[in-house]
Amino acid sequence: MKISFPRFPMHAKKWLILDLLGGVAGVLGGLGAVVLHLMIETINHLFFNLLLPHISFHISGYNLSIILLPLIGGLIVGPLVTKFAPETRGHGIPEVMEAVALKAGYIRKRVAFLKVLVSAITIGSGGSAGREGPIAQTGSAIGSSLAQIFKLEPDDAKLLVVCGLSAGIAGAFNAPLGGALFGMEVLLRGIGLFNAMPVIIASVVGAAVASSFLGEKPAFSAEGLTSWSPPELILYAILGLVFGIISVLWVKSFYAIEDVFERLKISPTYKPALGGLATGFLILLLPEHGIMGVGYEGVNKALAGELFLILLLTLGILKMIATSCTVGSGGSGGIFAPSLYIGAMFGAAMGLLFSFAFPSIADQPFTYALAGMAA
């Protein structure tokens, strides 16, 4: 007697294939986050531990040679970006959004490798930028490459781009739900239940892969900063209003500086070096507070209450300018981590002001640093 097995409907097969490819994108996106993290550490070691001691020049306790490190990084990054993949300059998210909206999810395969390389050099040499944007673009390129290999339809290719981006974000922050929501909301402006599952799988797998190599320690230390009292809601509302203004100033200043670099009558090959030189001058006086690189150490200092009011305001402003110079000049790096840094500095500053004005209400001023990061 012949036994007949039930056949899967076509949509079920398609769903299963996309789920499997989402898992593959998750593995590769998570590994991309690990590789970028390790490359930044390696290049930072080469520049600051091996190169800097040999070219150090001290005056009045300041090592003037630190100015040269982001400049050298820009000199390396500029030719690589200009010759091989111009879309890897900047923070990368607009290029991914363009690929999804206008190019049916198509991203050149070389972007995955080059984005990791040029971003690691930019950040590792002291440039002020984050690693989340680069890993998002890298993960997106991985997802697009999988779609090209398996010759998927445009809608499915876009979905795999979102899977790769979400896996990278989840791996960078060890936040699987955050990675999935980021990808679905930023790239697709919402997503149906059918398409959500591959993205969720990719994010969970990406976070698991990254944490297995990098550990499960959270990016920021925020212990004891979760308590609040009902009267503080008024203060948090005020903080939100102020941060609406700060956010507009941050965006406008970033694009204003970017426009300045675009109008310069020099080759794009050398603009990242010029931006690196400007960043080097900014980090000279305060090299230990996270203006250079990703800046997480500075955020943790703000959360721990180790910084005073004037320093907090100064660091927030300098991070705005340094990031605008690094990324706006054509260097490769993200603006998400700098935004968190800026939020932490100005949030902590407002917390101190609230604590001074309303000591009985705002008794934990550095909780506002955490709120500022969210705002």
Side-chain angles (χ1 to χ4, degrees):
M1 182 177 67
K2 185 177 181 180
I3 300 175
S4 60
F5 295 95
R7 292 186 175 182
F8 281 105
M10 284 301 297
H11 69 273
K13 291 181 180 179
K14 180 179 178 181
W15 191 27
L16 179 61
I17 291 172
L18 289 175
D19 287 346
L20 291 173
L21 289 177
V24 175
V27 172
L28 297 178
L31 289 174
V34 173
V35 171
L36 178 61
H37 183 90
L38 295 178
M39 283 187 66
I40 290 173
E41 288 188 345
T42 301
I43 292 174
N44 184 269
H45 176 75
L46 292 175
F47 272 82
F48 286 87
N49 295 338
L50 298 181
L51 175 61
L52 184 60
H54 293 287
I55 62 173
S56 292
F57 181 70
H58 294 269
I59 293 181
S60 300
Y62 297 104
N63 189 354
L64 298 185
S65 298
I66 201 170
I67 298 172
L68 300 176
L69 299 186
L71 167 65
I72 296 170
L75 287 173
I76 299 171
V77 166
L80 289 174
V81 168
T82 304
K83 183 174 182 179
F84 296 107
E87 61 267 45
T88 60
R89 65 165 50 96
H91 50 97
I93 298 298
E95 287 74 16
V96 177
M97 296 176 73
E98 180 185 11
V100 170
L102 303 176
K103 299 179 180 178
Y106 175 77
I107 301 173
R108 293 196 292 174
K109 297 182 181 70
R110 70 177 65 177
V111 170
F113 169 74
L114 282 171
K115 187 65 178 181
V116 170
L117 177 62
V118 295
S119 296
I121 295 171
T122 299
I123 300 169
S125 64
S128 176
R131 57 175 178 254
E132 295 75 24
I135 193 55
Q137 189 177 17
T138 298
S140 300
I142 290 171
S144 178
S145 299
L146 287 173
Q148 294 170 48
I149 291 171
F150 290 95
K151 297 180 172 58
L152 299 185
E153 297 176 359
D155 287 343
D156 298 332
K158 294 177 183 179
L159 184 60
L160 270 191
V161 169
V162 178
C163 288
L165 179 143
S166 300
I169 292 292
F173 279 105
N174 191 23
L177 181 59
L181 292 175
F182 184 90
M184 289 187 286
E185 289 296 330
V186 170
L187 290 188
L188 296 182
R189 301 295 182 184
I191 195 168
L193 180 62
F194 178 86
N195 290 337
M197 187 56 67
V199 179
I200 294 172
I201 291 173
S203 296
V204 172
V205 172
V209 169
S211 63
S212 66
F213 286 93
L214 303 176
E216 298 184 358
K217 183 180 178 181
F220 306 109
S221 301
E223 295 181 7
L225 297 180
T226 56
S227 62
W228 58 278
S229 60
E232 281 189 278
L233 291 178
I234 298 174
L235 301 182
Y236 282 116
I238 295 172
L239 181 141
L241 290 172
V242 172
F243 264 80
I245 298 171
I246 292 174
S247 298
V248 172
L249 293 175
W250 164 219
V251 172
K252 288 188 175 296
S253 64
F254 177 87
Y255 285 116
I257 292 175
E258 186 178 54
D259 289 342
V260 170
F261 279 102
E262 287 182 355
R263 289 195 295 267
L264 289 177
K265 303 300 183 181
I266 62 174
S267 171
T269 301
Y270 304 109
K271 289 181 181 180
L274 187 61
L277 181 63
T279 302
F281 277 106
L282 291 172
I283 65 178
L284 176 62
L285 298 178
L286 296 169
E288 303 296 331
H289 295 291
I291 296 175
M292 70 175 73
V294 177
Y296 283 178
E297 65 274 24
V299 173
N300 284 321
K301 287 182 179 181
L303 292 172
E306 298 177 7
L307 307 177
F308 55 90
L309 179 60
I310 299 300
L311 181 58
L312 288 166
L313 295 173
T314 302
L315 290 172
I317 294 170
L318 289 179
K319 191 68 173 179
M320 281 186 180
I321 301 172
T323 303
S324 299
C325 290
T326 298
V327 182
S329 65
S332 184
I335 59 171
F336 191 68
S339 296
L340 294 178
Y341 183 101
I342 294 163
M345 297 303 151
F346 287 120
M350 289 193 66
L352 288 175
L353 292 174
F354 287 148
S355 179
F356 177 77
F358 311 102
S360 61
I361 299 176
D363 58 343
Q364 292 191 10
F366 295 101
T367 302
Y368 292 84
L370 196 62
M373 294 166 67

